[in-house]
Amino acid sequence: MNKTGIPAISASDLSKNYGERAALSHGSFIVPAGSICGFVGPNGSGKTTTIRMLLGLITPSGGSATVLGESIKHPEKYLPRVGAMIEGPAFYPALSGCENLKVLAELGGFPLSRVDELLAKVGLADRGSSKFKTYSLGMKQRLGIAAALLPNPELLILDEPTNGLDPSGIQEVRGIIKDLANGGTTVFVSSHILSELEMICEYLVMLREGKVIFSGRTQELLSSQKPMIIARPEYEVDLTKLTNTLSEAGYQITIVDGNLHVIAAKEASAEINRLAFDSGITLSSISIVLPTLEETFFEMTGDDR
Amino acid sequence: MIRVVIAELRKLRRPSLLLGTIATVGGLSALFTSIVFLMINSKDGNTKRGESIGPKELSEALGLVYGFKLVGVFLGVVALCIFASQTAQEYSLGTLRNLLVRQPSRMKILAGKFIAMKLFALVMVLFAGALSIAISFALAGRAKVDTTAWGTSAAMHLLFESALNIFIATLCFGTFGAILGLLLRSPISAIAVGVLWNLILENILAALINSTAKWLPGINFANLGEGGNPKLTYKHSITVSLGYLIISGALAAVLFKKRDVAN
């Protein structure tokens, strides 16, 4: 929420049907103002449909939503304050990167001086005069981000912004997003690189098959998952004996590279250590690993790795 | 809406499109005007459908605009292709979503785009006209055509009238192309359907069923460019043309406003 308590995005029972198929079904979530919120879900789960509804590109079949406090029925009231890159960068191939941005700047009534400033910000200052069709995928993506930043947005919506970027490019985008958030911009970002989202997002909205299955703080989601306890006996020959001991105690165990992986509450680590000791087994290591966002994602969405 | 017009003009003035169009209409204008004067005594004819026009007729006020009027229908076809591609490419490139995020009023986008394309068509017609007139003057002496009457007020009136009629016809063809672009959402499909219909199918239809000719859009657009004729009056052509364009334009505009932008 911002100072006025109005969330940047608020959706209530938002739905979109294409014939019999529900692309989004009764989606309700909130993106607090000033936060970085990740938007995750398998392909076809309804992320892009939701983003398009928020931007007034498609009409919802039901429900309602507000963006920056304004109903999505009136996108003209909030879009001048919103920057967006949807489903990858789309520009005119025969125009230069600079000319493409000028088209959008003129359309939105933004000063043309912002174009050079933004090209420099995304690392395209020296290629601004080259035609868009000559750009690499990473450069196209950078131009898309520059276009999204044209209005100096209060809310930035990015759909897969790091697609095609090399590691340093990904790091730069992460830096841009963090800088914007530090300046008070709300960032709503969808990405398949969940480790990236885990690093930068305080909030998450997770979709599966057109339904919102989680909306809230990232930490809240991760801490709700059972951690994994990884134990390693000093001698490999004790692996079977320890497995049997822990199985008899009711633990579910998998063996990975000479380690025992036990899904259990973190308090169980002491008991595991004691059971091993009582069986005459010395553990060379025992650690508690919290599930990553990626593991949680696969767990919650039931998606195949 | 002014902002949309300015943004559209930036796209339209890109060198590949602007120079390509200037070269095409310049080439057509030069070709048709040159044929009139260079083949003035040819037994194969020097104007449309193997007909002939001699030095005597060309020495009248009409001679100033004769070549320009011949190229009129081709300017229309060029406009059809440009309007169709400029409209449909927003869908095929996926750029429509960028435009709508920056200017959510779809009707303003449509109107601004249309005004910019009209201005582009005006430049195209004026350039073709100026080149045709320049070539006419340059070749008149060689064809033994007296240009005295070309400087009279009657010739100026005819020039203005012809330019206006060709511009109106060009806009009709262009609007037809833009409507096809909006409906088909693919530049190649829109151009192919538009050109095939106007240059081939209408002529076949008119040849097979003579009575259909006066009701076909392309034939009426072309007739506007020629200023009408006794068989098909200007008034009839403007009524039929406006009828087609208003009905199909309204349908395309409603679709553009209501249709989800899902690509």
Side-chain angles (χ1 to χ4, degrees):
Chain A
M1 314 285 169
N2 60 10
K3 285 174 192 166
T4 57
I6 298 169
I9 300 172
S10 170
S12 174
D13 277 336
L14 195 62
S15 302
K16 180 67 185 179
N17 302 321
Y18 291 106
E20 293 292 302
R21 189 177 70 83
L24 183 71
S25 178
H26 302 284
S28 297
F29 61 90
I30 278 177
V31 176
S35 67
I36 303 177
C37 180
F39 196 30
V40 295
N43 287 336
S45 58
K47 298 190 298 293
T48 302
T49 299
T50 306
I51 289 175
R52 284 176 185 274
M53 281 193 279
L54 296 175
L55 294 171
L57 297 174
I58 58 178
T59 313
S61 307
S64 61
T66 62
V67 174
L68 300 174
E70 305 286 354
S71 166
I72 57 168
K73 287 178 183 167
H74 303 287
E76 70 282 359
K77 289 188 179 172
Y78 59 84
L79 283 181
R81 295 178 283 149
V82 175
M85 186 178 80
I86 323 138
E87 264 198 323
F91 292 100
Y92 305 101
L95 291 186
S96 68
C98 181
E99 288 286 306
N100 267 296
L101 289 190
K102 282 180 178 172
V103 168
L104 296 175
E106 279 162 346
L107 203 57
F110 309 121
L112 292 182
S113 57
R114 265 192 74 68
V115 168
D116 288 336
E117 189 187 313
L118 288 171
L119 284 172
K121 185 166 191 160
V122 298
L124 285 177
D126 57 336
R127 289 296 305 274
S129 56
S130 304
K131 285 187 177 176
F132 178 72
K133 63 184 171 190
T134 67
Y135 282 13
S136 66
L137 181 58
M139 290 164 73
K140 288 176 179 173
Q141 204 73 9
R142 286 163 192 263
L143 190 68
I145 293 169
L149 295 176
L150 265 173
N152 205 359
E154 281 176 47
L155 168 65
L156 181 64
I157 298 177
L158 299 172
D159 194 3
E160 301 290 346
T162 52
N163 259 3
L165 293 181
D166 55 22
S168 69
I170 292 173
Q171 201 172 15
E172 280 172 38
V173 171
R174 194 195 307 152
I176 290 171
I177 289 174
K178 280 184 174 173
D179 285 349
L180 287 165
N182 288 338
T185 302
T186 309
V187 185
F188 188 48
V189 55
S190 85
S191 175
H192 281 117
I193 307 176
L194 298 179
S195 55
E196 275 300 311
L197 292 185
E198 190 176 357
M199 285 169 81
I200 58 171
C201 297
E202 313 147 62
Y203 286 85
L204 277 179
V205 176
M206 196 179 279
L207 291 183
R208 183 181 64 186
E209 293 171 1
K211 292 193 170 72
V212 177
I213 56 171
F214 177 81
S215 167
R217 287 186 172 276
T218 310
Q219 205 49 48
E220 190 185 313
L221 173 71
L222 296 178
S223 59
S224 69
Q225 303 295 306
K226 279 188 179 169
M228 183 181 287
I229 298 167
I230 302 174
R232 187 180 186 90
E234 186 178 17
Y235 302 109
E236 206 172 329
V237 289
D238 290 333
L239 203 59
T240 314
K241 189 178 172 187
L242 182 60
T243 304
N244 292 336
T245 305
L246 295 180
S247 297
E248 280 165 19
Y251 290 105
Q252 282 194 324
I253 295 146
T254 48
I255 299 171
V256 181
D257 297 334
N259 292 314
L260 267 76
H261 286 201
V262 186
I263 304 284
K266 58 184 176 186
E267 292 77 16
S269 60
E271 192 190 5
I272 289 170
N273 197 8
R274 191 167 46 249
L275 286 169
F277 181 78
D278 292 347
S279 308
I281 299 166
T282 309
L283 295 180
S284 64
S285 70
I286 184 163
S287 57
I288 299 164
V289 178
L290 285 169
T292 62
L293 179 58
E294 192 169 72
E295 287 161 343
T296 306
F297 173 81
F298 287 124
E299 177 76 26
M300 291 185 74
T301 60
D303 205 4
D304 292 332
R305 286 170 204 232
Chain B
M1 194 165 65
I2 299 293
R3 296 205 305 247
V4 183
V5 176
I6 294 169
E8 282 302 317
L9 285 175
R10 185 176 289 280
K11 287 187 258 171
L12 287 166
R13 69 172 193 240
R14 65 180 186 267
S16 55
L17 179 65
L18 184 63
L19 298 179
T21 306
I22 291 292
T24 305
V25 300
L28 288 169
S29 189
L31 177 72
F32 285 98
T33 309
S34 301
I35 286 173
V36 171
F37 289 91
L38 294 176
M39 297 180 70
I40 199 156
N41 295 316
S42 168
K43 60 179 189 303
D44 297 326
N46 62 341
T47 178
K48 58 185 175 184
R49 297 186 190 97
E51 293 169 12
S52 291
I53 185 164
K56 192 180 165 200
E57 294 94 330
L58 287 174
S59 296
E60 293 168 12
L62 175 70
L64 178 68
V65 294
Y66 197 84
F68 182 32
K69 285 180 83 168
L70 279 182
V71 83
V73 70
F74 293 96
L75 295 181
V77 174
V78 172
L80 184 149
C81 297
I82 292 171
F83 281 40
S85 69
Q86 288 300 305
T87 314
Q89 72 166 4
E90 305 292 4
Y91 288 98
S92 61
L93 295 174
T95 44
L96 184 59
R97 58 182 187 248
N98 292 346
L99 303 186
L100 292 175
V101 167
R102 294 283 59 97
Q103 174 48 266
S105 168
R106 298 189 182 195
M107 286 302 104
K108 281 185 185 171
I109 291 270
L110 201 55
K113 216 172 196 357
F114 196 61
I115 290 170
M117 289 191 294
K118 271 183 182 175
L119 291 173
F120 189 82
L122 180 62
V123 171
M124 200 173 88
V125 169
L126 291 178
F127 176 76
L131 187 67
S132 172
I133 289 164
I135 290 171
S136 299
F137 272 106
L139 298 178
R142 182 190 165 120
K144 297 188 173 50
V145 171
D146 179 9
T147 60
T148 314
W150 292 8
T152 61
S153 61
M156 290 304 116
H157 178 77
L158 196 57
L159 174 61
F160 177 76
E161 191 182 83
S162 301
L164 184 65
N165 286 336
I166 290 172
F167 180 56
I168 290 171
T170 304
L171 284 188
C172 288
F173 277 110
T175 308
F176 186 77
I179 291 166
L180 286 174
L182 286 173
L183 295 176
L184 300 176
R185 293 182 279 181
S186 152
I188 292 172
S189 306
I191 291 171
V193 169
V195 172
L196 272 176
W197 175 261
N198 282 293
L199 292 186
I200 300 172
L201 293 176
E202 278 202 6
N203 286 318
I204 294 172
L205 261 175
L208 290 176
I209 313 163
N210 198 30
S211 58
T212 59
K214 62 190 293 192
W215 301 109
L216 295 171
I219 287 174
N220 281 286
F221 298 159
N223 190 47
L224 289 177
E226 288 167 7
N229 64 59
K231 285 183 187 168
L232 195 56
T233 64
Y234 190 87
K235 193 177 166 187
H236 173 87
S237 285
I238 197 104
T239 309
V240 172
S241 300
L242 283 176
Y244 272 114
L245 295 179
I246 288 171
I247 293 168
S248 56
L251 175 70
V254 169
L255 276 174
F256 182 71
K257 188 172 166 60
K258 300 284 178 192
R259 202 157 47 185
D260 284 346
V261 179
N263 67 327

